[in-house]
Amino acid sequence: MTILETRPRVARPDVRVVRRRLGPGHRIPYAFWIGPILLLAVWSAGSATGLISPAILTAPWDVVVAFGEQWTDHDLLGNILSSLHRAALGLGFGIAAGGVLAVVSGLSRLGESLIDGPIQIKRSVPTLALIPLFIAWFGIGQEMKIVTIALISLVPIYIHTHNGLRGIDGRYAELAETIGIGRGEFVRHIVLPGALPGFLLGMRFAVTSSLLGLVVVEQYNATAGIGHMITLAEQYGQTDVIVVGLVIYGVFGYCADSAVRLVGRKVLAWRRTLED
Amino acid sequence: MTILETRPRVARPDVRVVRRRLGPGHRIPYAFWIGPILLLAVWSAGSATGLISPAILTAPWDVVVAFGEQWTDHDLLGNILSSLHRAALGLGFGIAAGGVLAVVSGLSRLGESLIDGPIQIKRSVPTLALIPLFIAWFGIGQEMKIVTIALISLVPIYIHTHNGLRGIDGRYAELAETIGIGRGEFVRHIVLPGALPGFLLGMRFAVTSSLLGLVVVEQYNATAGIGHMITLAEQYGQTDVIVVGLVIYGVFGYCADSAVRLVGRKVLAWRRTLED
Amino acid sequence: MATDPGGLITRPAVRVRDLHRRFSANGGVLNGLDLDIAPGEFVALIGRSGTGKSTLLRALAGLDRDIAGHGEIEVPEAVSVVFQDSRLLPWKRILDNVVLGLREPDAAQRGRTALDEVGLAGRERSWPFQLSGGEQQRASLARSLVREPQLLLADEPFGALDALTRIRMHKLLRKLCEAHQPAVLLVTHDVDEAIALADRVIVLDAGVVRADVPVDPAGRSRTELRTFLLEELGVEKENR
Amino acid sequence: MATDPGGLITRPAVRVRDLHRRFSANGGVLNGLDLDIAPGEFVALIGRSGTGKSTLLRALAGLDRDIAGHGEIEVPEAVSVVFQDSRLLPWKRILDNVVLGLREPDAAQRGRTALDEVGLAGRERSWPFQLSGGEQQRASLARSLVREPQLLLADEPFGALDALTRIRMHKLLRKLCEAHQPAVLLVTHDVDEAIALADRVIVLDAGVVRADVPVDPAGRSRTELRTFLLEELGVEKENR
Amino acid sequence: GGDAGARLELTAALPDRVAGGTEIRIGDPAIQAVVRASGLDKELADAGVEVRWANISGGPQSIQAFRADKLDCSAVADIPSLFAAWTGTSTKIVFQSVVVDPVNHPIYQLGVAPGVTVASLADLRGKKIAYSAGQAQGALVLRVLQKAGLTRDDVTLVELTSTGDSYVTALGSKAVDVAPIGAANVKIYKAKYPGGGAILTGIRDDASTLYCLTSSVQDAEKAAALKVYVGVRAKALLWQNANPDGYAKAYLQETQGLSEADAKDVVATEGAKGIPATWDNALTRLQQTADLLAEQQNRDKLDVTTLVDRRFEPVEAEAAGADVVTGDAA
Ligand SMILES: Nc1ncnc2c1ncn2[C@@H]1O[C@H](COP(=O)(O)OP(=O)(O)OP(=O)(O)O)[C@@H](O)[C@H]1O
Ligand SMILES: Nc1ncnc2c1ncn2[C@@H]1O[C@H](COP(=O)(O)OP(=O)(O)OP(=O)(O)O)[C@@H](O)[C@H]1O
Ligand SMILES: [Mg+2]
Ligand SMILES: [Mg+2]
């Protein structure tokens, strides 16, 4: 079980007892890139050897060409920006609302019984089917789109924050009760930091949900946006453009997710878990 | 801050120091029902007063009628059963695959760098856009549908289990290392129970995702199923039938979610958190 | 404030009557306990592991809403608890843990001073996990001391400290008690510590106060008291 | 096994040479520590709070892969650690915590016996949170004792125990040591405990072994040794 | 939506004067682009008509918007107005156009999966055909079967919603033998899946309408504005016939994101548009479709004359002037 390992890194001998590591061990540097590069490699290899027919999935190089075309001829940047704008606005409202609702329902059983059920039911129901309602309430313009995205991204924020909050060790609440702290301070000093790991996980879902929500909302009366671009390309059977859209989704989703995880590592420096 | 509360429940006096409770306090009995009943009440009131036009959202009583019609004339039960069958199969595979992948990638940095990226990218990309790929690989029959649902429900299981696993207190891994435990036992005794709260949260998402996935897959070559029913009704603009479908989704989703939470409370009896 | 206007009868700071507490499965942990602590009095509580010392403290702190039992409890408004586990919030740096909930403008300064007093000067910005066991205990002590409560409930606050540090902490506690005159209930396993610090030592056994003896320098000698207490705890002669 | 074939030179069970350990920001915690423990030898380690006792134990247990420093360490294969925090897995009942990782068919029976020995008979199916502080510590002790290691590293295993329980645990530990003859390194804050249990007492200070004295009944008296050790810890006369 | 104007009976003559600043909400993306490119937007503005364009087209989306009263009119084929009626949303068709050579410029062709031989409609017997009950493609399949003299039992209808290029994918992966695919996609399909084919249906599927909420037509101000719009729309279609490149650029390239070559192909497959002198033929065909769907999908009989507002018929024809089409083509 225990082996002796000599590390001659320095002139001074360093013989430690090295126990078999059961946790995941150290982070591999640049591991961030391995997944995407692997995927790209498989895709390229499949396309080059003909295993992946271009009818099913356009080859990477053709996607690059299509990307260039979209960029120069069809204002891809504009599409991306207007999508990001929508997603960011919706996400912002969703995070705010989800966070507040989670704290209210997390800290009060009454609040929970009023808030929790409707949110659970909302999330069980396909968003696509709710769009007619939203159209009736918020019109067919930007407002409806942002509300829809906000409601989509509210759900993971709410559930994860609520769950994280409820998972806080009861001893910390006891402590807070004995030091004569008010509700507000309790929320600020114990609830929010204690629920932060949960919230951050929720963020990872909220970010991708808000991007995916674009596909749904941009089918309705949109004149720009990645979702709109994909919908159009589907109509005309432009596989390469669809794949351009998917790649953009993948890149944004992956980067946003990684960014949230990075932030998580920074702000959760107080934890000592298997992650470290 | 402290007040004295007399509880004359028993003949014997019981005067306790009662500190203002900062946590959520006791569970309200039957709170389970409050959310749905509230929603139903709002909906009924809105429909009765005409605030909610029937073109936008059918009134509850009309939904009951439509439900009856669907039940007797259109084999609603058959639709429900074939949907549940699909969802359950897909969910089962998704849970198994997601759990295994999460443990592998959670415990090995190499595994993580290979598994994690592709899964993050997969979840950033709209499922609808991936369906053509799945059709090409798995045909257009039941197989494709189950694979798609499995891949949809794999994602939350994977991410939550992975996150829960990585969130296990590093001190327990240390303990395990000092008692000469093997990898397998480490997984069984520390990793799985430690990641269980995360897994259960993942389950809540996986269950609803598998149901929502039906809407997507049952657009393809399905002759029965709730998703199929909704798709058809959407094309025809049969609001009442759509709402029947939504209600079924809501009921199933809410019940499944509540069931997972109930199970969670039972199997997490070892925790003392704000939930209790 | 806790004294009656005439000054004739001192109303106790802590008054416990017929206190019963039990955890579902087990029998009773506290079985009719009576206890008075005068304002400014320093009481040490000793008793075997698992007799219910922490349970009593939690009852006094108002943290046992959900535990079966009955009885009457009166405590002052401002209570401060040193928990048996040091219970530092893992997500707050040490100084923030110490000043948690303090609203005074000079809170940070007072926190710094308290940390200095418990020997943790310079560790203000450490995370709890970066402290050794004894350091965590001292940080938790600092958090309680910085608050000047009317009643201090301390559950083995010196358990993880070495002899020298422990003596320093004793001195610190005594100094603070003299300055602010809180009623103190200190749980300890160290009979010598109980005698050194307290005005009165209480032995808890089978859920009731089995012995309640004043530490009176004028009365029986400290060595006698020590022997008596160890006897009460069941320690046989050759081990005392 | 740890003895050389000729039986002339005893190879130490634990051999530490020039051990350095430091946590990034602070200075060194261990600064060139040397230590030998013979097989079957019982060594007590005392030292101020925060001097690095736990750090040393973690190094011996092989749990400090990621801490800066160097030096040489040799330890036997089968090591068992009693951590300063009791570190029971919260999701396992007490008995399951005790027998964790044991593969022998009679593991459950041995676990039960160990729990009985530490005074926790009947608590096999409790969750860790249902135990008092001292009970948790005893459960953690039972977990280590049930394993019969060649080296037992115990970090203040009796810190939360009352006098009587502590004496019982001492007896238990001594009995087990006689039966299986492990090398023991016991961290304690109680000088009397160190003298009562150990063959040798080591005082850690400023990251090195400041004193290393055998507890020799034939040599200087235990009272002398006690005074010496307290002096080494810096406790002034009037407080000893 | 908006401040409603005075109520106008459906039998009353369409008012000529547009009250200043009357706004109509129109989902008609192709015409929107053509109007802008041809300068016809000036004509609208001169008449005092303010169009709030929505990028909405197709049945489900427009019906949803109608129900929420967020849209006045939308450009669709013939099926949506039938479904709107069946599901209780009252609409009126205010504009009809045709394709001048409909049989050779169909909207849909029948795609045939690689390895399957279907040379004529009769070969459909026993084949797996993609069918989506609520969409135009579904109605087309029923009409094709009717024309081939087959019943639903003679073939296997595979329920499959046409979203994006799902039919092309289904054909390519041989999940179905036959599926109606957009004529513009036939070339892409054949290129993607060698061996795949397509046959003409020989059925007119060129119905193209602008349908509006009845309540909007009943709004005097909006009706006046719509009268202007219908006239402009007719001119826009004629401009489109005359300027295929301009149309391709303004609509297909700039708003739909096609490449120049693809856009040209689309224009070529679409064929020239015609403004019928009367709606009689169109209504006959619409009635046939309504009857077929009513029979095949168990729906109520529908009198399609209730779905049109023929007051706009002469407006449209007048705007086209001598360019109206008559006879079989209409
Ligand atoms: N939540 C609980 N559920 C069940 N039993 C409990 C619970 N908490 C404490 N107990 C039991 O109640 C008894 C008294 O516990 P308590 O913590 O008051 O002991 P203590 O005197 O503080 O002991 P120690 O000195 O070991 O800390 C113990 O036997 C303990 O096992
Ligand atoms: N993870 C860490 N990061 C930074 N400093 C640390 C860390 N762990 C321990 N230290 C510091 O190293 C020193 C030695 O810690 P260690 O836990 O070994 O002390 P100890 O002798 O066991 O003390 P105690 O008797 O209080 O348990 C302490 O000053 C402590 O603050
Ligand atoms: Mg206790
Ligand atoms: Mg230590």
Side-chain angles (χ1 to χ4, degrees), chain E residues 5 12-13 59 61 69 73 86 104 115 129 138 180 232 238 253 264 269 293:
Chain E
Q61 286 196 11
D69 193 16
C73 305
W86 275 320
N104 289 313
I129 305 176
V232 168
L238 296 175
Q253 281 177 247
K264 288 233 166 71
T269 34
L293 288 180

Side-chain angles (χ1 to χ4, degrees), chain B residues 50-129:
Chain B
L51 280 179
I52 301 178
S53 111
I56 303 293
L57 189 62
T58 315
W61 34 94
D62 293 335
V63 171
V64 173
V65 174
F67 188 95
E69 255 172 36
Q70 292 291 319
W71 187 274
T72 48
D73 303 352
H74 300 281
D75 193 20
L76 180 57
L77 182 65
N79 278 331
I80 294 179
L81 290 183
S82 68
S83 275
L84 286 186
H85 179 230
R86 257 176 218 131
L89 269 178
L91 184 62
F93 288 119
I95 292 172
V100 170
L101 288 176
V103 170
V104 171
S105 120
L107 289 184
S108 123
R109 293 283 175 187
L110 186 70
E112 177 174 33
S113 58
L114 297 180
I115 296 170
D116 203 72
I119 291 191
Q120 301 305 339
I121 291 174
K122 146 81 181 64
R123 88 182 172 93
S124 309
V125 164
T127 304
L128 211 61

Side-chain angles (χ1 to χ4, degrees), chain E residues 109-184:
Chain E
Q109 296 191 16
L110 289 183
V112 181
V116 177
T117 31
V118 174
S120 69
L121 296 190
D123 296 337
L124 290 177
R125 182 183 296 277
K127 296 291 186 294
K128 284 185 291 177
I129 305 176
Y131 174 68
S132 101
Q135 296 179 298
Q137 291 93 326
L140 183 77
V141 167
L142 294 178
R143 290 170 63 195
V144 164
L145 291 179
Q146 192 183 37
K147 184 173 177 197
L150 300 171
T151 68
R152 295 175 71 140
D153 298 333
D154 297 326
V155 296
T156 312
L157 293 185
V158 178
E159 288 268 9
L160 193 60
T161 309
S162 171
T163 51
D165 55 355
S166 63
Y167 276 15
V168 168
T169 308
L171 284 172
S173 60
K174 304 195 183 105
V176 294
D177 298 326
V178 175
I181 55 177

